[in-house]
Amino acid sequence: MMSCCCEKELMISEQQSNLRPPPQTEAAVKPTGTRFSTQAPFPPPPPPAAAALCLEEAVSMGALQSVKMASYDQLAHQVEALRKENSHLRRELEDNSHHLSQLETETIGMKFSLQMDLIRQQLEFEAQQVRSVMEDRFGTNDEMVQRTQVSRSDDIIKVNETHTFKNHHHYYY
């Protein structure tokens, strides 16, 4: 958008120059023999106060250019700072991903270890239940050993008796 009066005048001048015929001399004559003016319908030049305004606007346009350049430099600096931050965040993300992978590996190991502990506890519990049922049915270990020893003793006695009986029987026949 143009705000300067000089710029507006320049635009009007360009539009009018596109519409006017090629320049002719003052002595140009129409075929009928009458003279015509070659003066184009231009607006009058701006008064001195308007010219001063145009100068001020031109100066402010220069200041605007300086501001634009400063803004460009600031934006370039901000872009560079954002690129550095992006790079830093990407490295941090990569480090966090690596750390997460390590934690997942450790977690799998811990889950396996925990699962083995639970299985061991379950087996210990079941073994205790089996011992309890055996004690209810057969007595304590000591009682079973004692019964087994008595039973063997009885078996040994029977074997000896049988063997002795056979030996005595042989002599009589």
Side-chain angles (χ1 to χ4, degrees):
M1 297 187 80
M2 296 186 198
S3 61
C4 175
C5 64
C6 296
E7 290 175 359
K8 289 178 186 174
E9 290 172 10
L10 180 61
M11 189 175 83
I12 292 170
S13 171
E14 287 175 357
Q15 289 173 349
Q16 289 176 350
S17 67
N18 290 337
L19 297 176
R20 75 176 169 205
Q24 297 180 354
T25 63
E26 292 250 351
V29 180
K30 287 187 179 180
T32 59
T34 58
R35 297 183 61 142
F36 68 94
S37 170
T38 59
Q39 185 178 9
F42 290 113
L53 272 178
C54 287
L55 182 60
E56 286 177 17
E57 288 179 6
V59 169
S60 82
M61 290 298 286
L64 181 63
Q65 284 296 90
S66 295
V67 169
K68 284 182 182 178
M69 287 302 292
S71 294
Y72 176 80
D73 290 342
Q74 288 173 342
L75 288 174
H77 180 69
Q78 287 175 345
V79 166
E80 185 59 31
L82 289 173
R83 282 186 178 149
K84 286 180 181 178
E85 182 179 2
N86 186 3
S87 177
H88 173 74
L89 290 173
R90 285 180 185 269
R91 275 191 305 258
E92 189 175 329
L93 180 62
E94 187 176 316
D95 291 344
N96 288 345
S97 295
H98 179 69
H99 186 68
L100 179 61
S101 295
Q102 287 178 335
L103 289 176
E104 287 173 342
T105 302
E106 290 175 13
T107 300
I108 290 170
M110 292 172 86
K111 283 181 182 178
F112 180 76
S113 178
L114 180 61
Q115 189 176 18
M116 294 304 289
D117 286 346
L118 290 174
I119 290 171
R120 184 177 33 79
Q121 288 175 0
Q122 181 67 27
L123 289 173
E124 288 174 357
F125 175 74
E126 289 175 3
Q128 181 60 38
Q129 283 183 324
V130 168
R131 280 188 214 109
S132 178
V133 169
M134 287 180 67
E135 282 181 9
D136 288 347
R137 287 188 184 170
F138 306 113
T140 64
N141 276 342
D142 291 338
E143 292 171 348
M144 286 190 287
V145 168
Q146 193 175 27
R147 278 196 309 266
T148 304
Q149 288 174 348
V150 169
S151 174
R152 282 188 184 165
S153 296
D154 288 345
D155 288 344
I156 291 173
I157 292 173
K158 284 182 185 177
V159 167
N160 284 338
E161 286 177 358
T162 310
H163 192 52
T164 307
F165 179 72
K166 283 185 180 178
N167 284 337
H168 285 292
H169 241 12
H170 264 298
Y171 291 117
Y172 295 112
Y173 292 103

